[in-house]
Amino acid sequence: MSSKKKILITGGAGFIGCHVVKLFVEKYSNYEIYNLDALTYAGNLENLSTIEKAPNYHFIKADIVDKEHIDALFQEYKFDGVLHLAAESHVDRSIKDPLAFVKTNIIGTVNLLNAFRDTWMDNFEGKLFYHISTDEVYGSLGSTGLFEETTSYDPNSPYSASKASSDHFVRAYGETYGLPFKITNCSNNYGPNQFPEKLIPLFINNIRNNNPLPVYGDGRYTRDWLYVIDHARAIDLVYHDGRLGETYNIGGFNEWQNIDLIKILIQQMDEKLGRAKGESEKLITYVTDRPGHDRRYAIDASKINSELGWKPSVTFEEGLSETIDWYLENEKWLNSVTSGDYKKYYDKMYTER
Ligand code: NAD
Ligand code: TYD
């Protein structure tokens, strides 16, 4: 039997997960990497085509809400480490169907914690449960200030409430059972392979197709954007070098009001598509705001920077340009994920707004 460490990555067929899986499979031939994913609308094995045949890569189709299946998998494989990314991740969907978020994000996380605890309770030495979370748990900022690791939780959407709850469970298992854990809370990610329900890929797809660009409210909401490859690099660093029981905030030092970001996106896309400068600005359409819309997120990432030496490797303009290129070069991927149920989703979210 192999003596290699067995690492479980949940949600590895999703946006951030696929970049983490690829990084770990390629960088750590001394690990066996198990990607566990339910393949919901957001999971796509095509995201992993470059590594699917690697000898240290294994895929397990499973739902983290299914306690018996999760327990059986831990009994069979005895995963030494867990990187937990599987989640329902879109705020607008959480407003329409909060219970789906309670099930996957809270119950699914507790199922994983229980299975991990029961496997290693006698000796946690060298084991790790790493929970990947979001800055949205901290709520909304005014026009100044930054989220620090010590900022009180104040979630406003069903999505952020479910992630906050899962973070609390992870810390509670640390206190109660001595379970070795780490948590990171990251700002908004963008980059290749993101499902086109989130702002940047949805707008890239609509600009490409000359469809309206639905800007919520006054468009002056602020997010702190991070290139997904930089998030994956941070996850690798925290997994290996971060301190046990600690939380690290991860962010791009890169705040944008939505409307300003959209204008940069339009500028880059018009140039790449050979359209006149600013031509696609006519697609901007202000629509009814999202209920409970958080005004501003911004991360103080100085802890991960000073302790682990992490900082973003690309500027926003570079990351955005690479992202647009990826979507334009991967039309097949984009067309396949926007066929079928996507149209129903779009009509429900936008036509009925
Ligand atoms: P995503 O929606 O793109 O992918 C989620 C993945 O989880 C999919 O592959 C899906 O099939 C899988 N999944 C969903 N429910 C499952 C279940 N019940 N059992 C097993 N697998 C299931 O999400 P993402 O954007 O890649 O986010 C990954 C993680 O990072 C999430 O925990 C999210 O909260 C967190 N995060 C995301 C961002 C962001 O900007 N996208 C920022 C900070 C933190
Ligand atoms: P989103 O990508 O959904 O991420 P989050 O809500 O988790 O931050 O949205 C980013 C910002 O863009 C947020 O302020 C909502 C806004 N937005 C729009 O204006 N129009 C859209 O169609 C979408 C999806 C988002």
Side-chain angles (χ1 to χ4, degrees), residues 89-92 134-136 157 159 187-189 194 196-203 206 213-217 219-225 258-259 261-262 285 287-290 293-295 297 345-346 350 353:
S89 69
H90 189 37
V91 173
D92 292 329
T134 167
D135 63 352
E136 305 195 22
S157 73
Y159 164 63
S187 63
N188 287 60
N189 285 216
Q194 188 169 30
E197 62 184 353
K198 307 277 164 66
L199 179 72
I200 290 179
L202 188 131
F203 276 40
N206 286 13
L213 303 175
V215 179
Y216 297 167
R220 293 268 160 221
Y221 293 85
T222 300
R223 297 291 183 264
D224 176 356
W225 293 92
N258 291 342
I259 193 66
L261 181 158
I262 290 160
T285 310
V287 299
T288 310
D289 209 349
R290 171 189 282 172
H293 197 168
D294 286 333
R295 192 64 174 165
Y297 302 145
Y345 165 81
Y346 204 90
Y350 294 98
R353 249 191 137 79

Side-chain angles (χ1 to χ4, degrees), residues 258-308:
N258 291 342
I259 193 66
D260 298 329
L261 181 158
I262 290 160
K263 288 190 177 156
I264 299 266
L265 181 67
I266 287 173
Q267 198 185 319
Q268 289 201 7
M269 281 208 64
D270 279 347
E271 202 180 316
K272 289 176 195 287
L273 293 169
R275 295 181 188 171
K277 196 163 178 249
E279 189 185 323
S280 304
E281 285 195 17
K282 64 174 188 293
L283 300 173
I284 292 175
T285 310
Y286 287 89
V287 299
T288 310
D289 209 349
R290 171 189 282 172
H293 197 168
D294 286 333
R295 192 64 174 165
R296 175 171 167 260
Y297 302 145
I299 281 274
D300 178 352
S302 50
K303 180 174 172 183
I304 187 170
N305 176 255
S306 62
E307 274 192 28
L308 303 177

Side-chain angles (χ1 to χ4, degrees), residues 140-160:
S140 184
L141 289 164
S143 54
T144 58
L146 299 171
F147 294 135
E148 295 170 15
E149 287 81 0
T150 50
T151 302
S152 300
Y153 276 30
D154 189 17
N156 294 313
S157 73
Y159 164 63
S160 53

Side-chain angles (χ1 to χ4, degrees), residues 71-87:
D71 285 345
L73 289 167
F74 271 80
Q75 273 173 25
E76 181 177 355
Y77 295 106
K78 302 208 168 14
F79 303 112
D80 299 282
V82 177
L83 286 90
H84 176 35
L85 294 100

Side-chain angles (χ1 to χ4, degrees), residues 107-127:
I107 296 175
T109 300
V110 174
N111 283 341
L112 289 166
L113 285 166
N114 281 339
F116 182 83
R117 177 202 59 193
D118 294 347
T119 308
W120 299 117
M121 191 70 180
D122 291 343
N123 183 6
F124 281 126
E125 186 70 36
K127 313 301 174 202

Side-chain angles (χ1 to χ4, degrees), residues 41-252:
Y41 77 93
N44 188 342
L45 289 177
E46 277 177 40
N47 293 345
L48 296 156
S49 57
T50 54
I51 53 97
E52 67 187 358
K53 297 208 165 66
N56 63 335
Y57 172 72
H58 315 273
F59 176 68
I60 301 170
K61 185 169 187 303
D63 183 343
I64 57 171
V65 182
D66 182 347
K67 179 189 178 317
E68 281 71 33
H69 195 184
I70 295 303
D71 285 345
L73 289 167
F74 271 80
Q75 273 173 25
E76 181 177 355
Y77 295 106
K78 302 208 168 14
F79 303 112
D80 299 282
V82 177
L83 286 90
H84 176 35
L85 294 100
E88 288 290 342
S89 69
H90 189 37
V91 173
D92 292 329
R93 286 186 193 257
S94 81
I95 294 167
K96 298 268 186 221
D97 183 12
L99 198 55
F101 287 68
V102 172
K103 286 181 184 154
T104 288
N105 298 0
I106 306 178
I107 296 175
T109 300
V110 174
N111 283 341
L112 289 166
L113 285 166
N114 281 339
F116 182 83
R117 177 202 59 193
D118 294 347
T119 308
W120 299 117
M121 191 70 180
D122 291 343
N123 183 6
F124 281 126
E125 186 70 36
K127 313 301 174 202
L128 177 61
F129 190 101
Y130 176 5
H131 181 60
I132 282 81
S133 193
T134 167
D135 63 352
E136 305 195 22
V137 298
Y138 298 122
S140 184
L141 289 164
S143 54
T144 58
L146 299 171
F147 294 135
E148 295 170 15
E149 287 81 0
T150 50
T151 302
S152 300
Y153 276 30
D154 189 17
N156 294 313
S157 73
Y159 164 63
S160 53
S162 68
K163 290 296 290 189
S165 175
S166 63
D167 293 10
H168 289 321
F169 270 102
V170 175
R171 287 195 187 95
Y173 273 58
E175 288 294 325
T176 307
Y177 307 108
L179 185 141
F181 75 90
K182 298 176 187 177
I183 298 178
T184 47
N185 296 85
C186 188
S187 63
N188 287 60
N189 285 216
Y190 70 97
N193 307 93
Q194 188 169 30
F195 191 79
E197 62 184 353
K198 307 277 164 66
L199 179 72
I200 290 179
L202 188 131
F203 276 40
I204 291 175
N205 190 37
N206 286 13
I207 295 170
R208 173 180 88 113
N209 294 318
N210 267 310
N211 285 333
L213 303 175
V215 179
Y216 297 167
D218 65 358
R220 293 268 160 221
Y221 293 85
T222 300
R223 297 291 183 264
D224 176 356
W225 293 92
L226 179 67
Y227 194 48
V228 65
I229 306 288
D230 281 326
H231 189 190
R233 285 177 46 241
I235 288 173
D236 178 22
L237 262 183
V238 170
Y239 184 84
H240 290 99
D241 300 333
R243 285 181 292 138
L244 279 181
E246 288 289 323
T247 296
Y248 296 87
N249 282 352
I250 308 172

